[in-house]
Structures are given as C-alpha cells and as structure tokens.
C-alpha cells in the first residue's frame, strides 16, 4: 500500500536496532529508526542489489522522495546507475566549489608571475582582489557568464577608470583561458564581450614646463612636511627621469652610490631593456640620507604600512595634490615631460641623450637600438647639469631661457 503524508508524520520507531521499513512502491520505502526517518530506494543494477539514499523526512517530503525515485528509475532505464550518478554529481559540485574564480585566478597569478615585471604583478593582483573577487570571486568559474564579467567592468567604468576596466576584462579572459587549459572551465566567456568595453580619451600626463613655475614647484617640495619616504621620492623624481612605477619599486640592490649609478633590470622597465640612471651629486645625497632608514630592507621607498612591499603608486601624486598641484597641473609622471621639454627647448641638450635617459627606444643610423651604456659619460654630465639647473631654479635665480646652438 502506498504511503501517505499522515503516516510518514505519525509513524514511530519500534525500538528495533535495524529499524522498520515501510514500502511506498517501485522500490521506494521509508526506513524508520530511533535516529530519524530516511527515504531509501531499493534497486538492482547489473544483477546486484543496491540502495539509494533519497533524503531525510520531513526535510524531504513524500512527494519529493517520489520525484527523486522517478528520476532514478529514468536513469536506470537509460542504463545508468543512479547511485554512481549521484556520487559523480556530488563530486562535481565539490570540485566546482573549489574551483571558484578567485581560486583559479590565484593559481594563474602564481603560474604566470615570471612573465610579468614585479610592478605589473602587484598591479594585476590589486585589481583582481579589489575589483573582481568581491563581485565574482566566490562563484564557481564554470557558472560565470559574459554578463558577470561585464558587470565588473561596467562598475569600474562608472568610476572613470576606462583603461583599467578594459585591462581587467582582458585579465579575466586570461584567467578563463588558463582554466580551460587546466580543465576547470570549458571556454573563455570574455570572447563574447569583444567591443563591449568603453575607451577613454588618450590624455597626456600634466606637466609643468615653464622654468619659473618649476622653480616654485621645487620650493614647494622643499617645504613639504609629509612622510619622510614621500618627501625623498618627491625630491628624487625630477632628478632621475623615471616613470613613477620604476621609481617607487627601486631596490637598494640596484644602487651603486659610490659609482653614482642606479641599474634597473629590464623586467621593471616598460621597454623591457636594462637601464642605467647616472645619479647626480644631488640624487646621491638624497639616497644617502635615506639609506640609514630603509637600507636594511629591500625597497628604497617601502610601503608606509609594511616594508615588504614598495610604496603605493598613488603616494607621489597624493603628495602633489596635498601641495596644491591638481592632476590638470602636474603629475608624478609629468616630471619626465618637464625634463624632456626644458632640457631640449631651454637648455639645448642633445635630444638623443635625453631620449636615452628617458628609456625611450633610440636607434642608430643603421636602425639598431643602442644598449644601456650608450653615451653613458655624456649622459652623466647632462644629468649633473640638469640637477645644478634645478638648484638654481629652486633658489629663484634669473636663469636665462634660451636654446644654445
């Protein structure tokens, strides 16, 4: 006789150690024990008697138990063992839970770290942990669709960081392709988003290129009372022609203060070429004053929170903002344009030497790229002339503004 909800609710255990089985039909029965009431299905597969667990009453009702029984019978009709299918499904869910986007992305970060410069690795890691993981990090990577990734990108675009948003979309695609290669995803869903990302208008970094205004900026830097690391980074920025990321990730191991040289490995440079910065006397003095404080660690400008990481990429720009220089007036990256413009148009320095020192691609008459030591003595003299010129501007001297022949 088929069971009823009333029977399932009211039936009591008899005290038997093995419990009592109450049949519903087509293999389904309610196994009543002292510990509870369990839905079970008895079936045969390849001549062997087996039992399939279908849930516990009352969490699983009689109707739900019958649905599960019917599904199991459909599998049997297709030649599939429902017990094996249930186990495989459970394992797949467990695997999916372990293969969240965050877990796979962290694996990808480690597996591909050697292909990126340290500064890029830090930036990509920060992007993922700040902008991506909070949104889709806990989702199984196999359950993520194009719209999920697009939602992450759109949220960043709403903040106006269009280039970073587009880069995040590309990074997510790389994570998906890594997952496909590792067998934890079927496809890269970001391929459906091609052309969907917005583009920011290309803007040049704001820079002061008037000598009088530059002198005022230098005096403001001297008067700045921020953190010691920030002050040192500000003072060094106009002297070395480096990009902010190259400056803030500088390591003491790269410095030879006796030779007055900063040797930066290509892995840190935008053009991927080793680079030498001849240090002026003024630059050496700044570094010498900082060495007793940070010289015991790896980074010249360590993070204000932990010495194990370099200074934040926003530190110098934040200091400039605090001094009253907006993004539209001058930026940390703008020190390069400042040097490039004034050294050429005012001081008349050789353009090829300036380009070398900016770590731009410079080629000889035969189209060959110069190596890092090209014209090093001349570049050293040029860097010292520039530092001396900045001292005069800082002092408010009446520097003649003309381009020498």
């Amino acid at each position: 006789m088929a069971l009823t909800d009333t029977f399932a609710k009211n039936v009591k255990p008899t005290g038997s150690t093995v419990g009592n089985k109450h049949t519903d039909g087509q293999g389904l029965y309610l196994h009543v024990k002292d510990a509870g009431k369990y839905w079970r299905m008895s079936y045969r597969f390849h001549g062997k008697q087996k039992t399939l667990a279908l849930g516990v009453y009352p969490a699983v009702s009689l109707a739900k138990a019958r649905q599960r029984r019917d599904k199991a019978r459909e599998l049997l009709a297709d030649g599939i063992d429902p017990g094996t299918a249930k186990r495989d499904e459970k394992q797949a869910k467990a695997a999916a839970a372990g293969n969240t986007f965050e877990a796979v992305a962290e694996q990808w970060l480690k597996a591909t770290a050697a292909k990126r410069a340290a500064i890029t690795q830090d930036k990509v890691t920060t992007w993922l942990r700040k902008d991506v993981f909070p949104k889709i990090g806990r989702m199984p990577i196999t359950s993520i669709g194009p719209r999920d990734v697009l939602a992450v990108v759109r949220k960043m675009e709403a903040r106006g960081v269009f280039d970073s948003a587009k880069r995040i979309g590309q990074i997510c695609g790389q994570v998906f392709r890594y997952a496909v290669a590792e067998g934890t995803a079927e496809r890269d869903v970001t391929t459906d988003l091609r052309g969907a990302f917005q583009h920011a208008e290309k803007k040049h970094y704001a820079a002061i290129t008037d000598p009088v205004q530059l002198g005022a900026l230098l005096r403001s830097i001297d008067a700045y009372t921020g953190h010691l690391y920030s002050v040192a980074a500000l003072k060094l920025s106009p002297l070395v022609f480096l990009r902010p990321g190259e400056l803030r990730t500088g390591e003491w191991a790269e410095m030879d203060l006796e030779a007055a040289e900063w040797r930066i490995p290509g892995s840190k440079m935008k053009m991927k070429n080793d680079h030498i910065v001849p240090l002026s006397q003024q630059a050496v003095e700044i570094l010498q004053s900082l060495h007793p404080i940070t010289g015991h660690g790896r980074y010249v400008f360590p993070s204000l929170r932990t010495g194990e990481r370099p200074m934040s990429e926003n530190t110098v720009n934040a200091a400039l903002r605090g001094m009253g220089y907006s993004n539209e007036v001058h930026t940390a990256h703008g020190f390069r344009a400042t040097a490039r413009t004034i050294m050429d148009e005012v001081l008349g320095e050789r353009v090829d030497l300036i380009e070398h020192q900016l770590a731009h691609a410079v080629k000889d008459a035969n189209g060959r790229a110069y190596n890092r030591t090209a014209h090093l003595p001349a570049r050293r003299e040029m860097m010292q002339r520039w530092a001396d010129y900045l001292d005069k501007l800082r002092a408010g001297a009446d520097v003649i503004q003309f381009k020498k022949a």
Side-chain angles (χ1 to χ4, degrees):
M1 179 180 290
L3 300 179
T4 64
D5 286 322
T6 300
F7 177 84
K9 179 179 179 181
N10 295 328
V11 67
K12 305 294 183 184
T14 62
S16 170
T17 56
V18 296
N20 299 94
K21 298 178 181 180
H22 303 279
T23 302
D24 180 64
Q26 296 181 316
L28 177 64
Y29 63 90
L30 183 64
H31 196 175
V32 182
K33 299 182 179 182
D34 290 340
K37 304 173 183 180
Y38 306 89
W39 294 112
R40 298 287 186 264
M41 176 182 170
S42 179
Y43 68 99
R44 293 184 70 82
F45 189 77
H46 291 332
K48 294 183 179 180
Q49 188 65 35
K50 295 189 174 187
T51 300
L52 180 67
L54 299 177
V56 181
Y57 182 86
V60 176
S61 67
L62 173 58
K64 187 67 174 178
R66 287 172 176 168
Q67 289 177 5
R68 293 181 177 181
R69 175 200 60 193
D70 293 343
K71 182 178 180 180
R73 287 173 58 82
E74 290 177 2
L75 292 173
L76 283 169
D78 291 333
I80 300 172
D81 183 348
T84 301
K86 180 180 179 181
R87 182 195 64 206
D88 292 345
E89 182 180 2
K90 185 176 181 179
Q91 290 177 346
K93 288 181 178 179
N99 288 323
T100 62
F101 184 88
E102 180 173 348
V104 176
E106 292 286 3
Q107 294 170 14
W108 170 78
L109 280 169
K110 293 180 181 179
T112 59
K115 299 178 181 179
R116 289 184 290 275
I119 180 176
T120 305
Q121 179 77 354
D122 287 343
K123 182 175 291 187
V124 171
T125 301
T126 299
W127 272 336
L128 285 169
R129 294 177 180 173
K130 177 183 176 183
D131 295 296
V132 182
F133 293 168
K135 191 77 174 177
I136 62 174
R138 294 184 180 181
M139 297 173 63
I141 195 166
T142 53
S143 71
I144 297 174
R147 290 183 178 276
D148 298 312
V149 178
L150 186 60
V152 174
V153 174
R154 288 286 185 256
K155 188 174 182 179
M156 295 182 68
E157 289 175 345
R159 302 203 312 262
V161 288
F162 299 102
D163 289 338
S164 296
K166 181 179 179 181
R167 185 77 177 97
I168 275 293
Q170 295 169 342
I171 290 169
C172 287
Q174 292 178 46
V175 173
F176 274 104
R177 290 191 290 278
Y178 171 80
V180 171
E182 292 295 310
T184 53
E186 292 297 323
R187 60 184 291 264
D188 172 13
V189 301
T190 65
T191 57
D192 298 337
L193 299 177
R194 288 174 182 168
F197 305 147
Q198 298 182 36
H199 298 274
E201 294 183 8
K202 188 67 176 179
K203 295 182 178 179
H204 295 289
Y205 296 101
I208 289 175
T209 56
D210 176 77
V212 175
Q213 293 179 14
L214 177 57
L217 171 59
L218 295 172
R219 289 190 289 275
S220 294
I221 291 175
D222 275 357
Y224 182 63
T225 57
H227 193 281
L228 179 63
Y229 305 166
S230 303
V231 173
L234 272 171
K235 290 183 176 180
L236 197 61
S237 291
L239 294 170
V240 291
F241 302 8
L242 292 174
R243 299 174 181 88
E246 297 158 1
L247 176 74
R248 73 181 184 87
T249 58
E251 301 178 33
W252 284 112
E254 300 164 359
M255 304 293 175
D256 186 342
L257 298 186
E258 291 187 6
E261 288 182 355
W262 182 349
R263 293 175 172 258
I264 307 175
S267 60
K268 286 187 175 184
M269 301 298 298
K270 181 177 181 180
M271 305 303 292
K272 304 303 178 184
N273 297 318
D274 292 350
H275 185 56
I276 297 177
V277 180
L279 298 172
S280 63
Q281 179 183 346
Q282 292 88 332
V284 170
E285 290 175 356
I286 293 170
L287 291 168
Q288 285 177 334
S289 67
L290 195 59
H291 189 268
I293 303 169
T294 68
H296 61 281
R298 175 182 176 182
Y299 294 106
V300 177
F301 305 105
S303 166
L304 304 185
R305 297 180 180 178
T306 171
E308 297 178 357
R309 297 174 63 85
M311 174 185 289
S312 166
E313 61 182 330
N314 295 320
T315 300
V316 173
N317 274 327
L320 288 169
R321 302 297 84 77
M323 292 159 48
Y325 290 88
S326 69
N327 280 321
E328 290 70 34
V329 176
H330 192 79
T331 62
H333 202 289
F335 282 113
R336 289 167 55 83
T338 298
R340 173 66 175 81
T341 301
I342 296 180
M343 293 181 79
D344 175 24
E345 298 181 2
V346 177
L347 301 180
E349 297 287 355
R350 284 172 48 185
V351 173
D352 63 322
L353 298 184
I354 301 172
E355 292 296 298
H356 270 301
Q357 209 48 61
L358 289 169
H360 287 162
V362 182
K363 297 182 179 181
D364 62 17
N366 296 317
R368 297 172 301 188
Y370 285 113
N371 62 42
R372 61 177 179 169
T373 60
H375 305 295
L376 190 57
R379 285 157 51 197
R380 188 182 304 280
E381 294 175 0
M382 177 187 72
M383 296 296 276
Q384 187 59 57
R385 285 195 297 271
W386 172 247
D388 293 340
Y389 177 77
L390 293 182
D391 282 347
K392 294 178 181 178
L393 291 183
R394 183 183 294 104
D398 185 14
V399 180
I400 300 176
Q401 302 182 20
F402 68 94
K403 183 170 181 176
K404 63 186 179 181

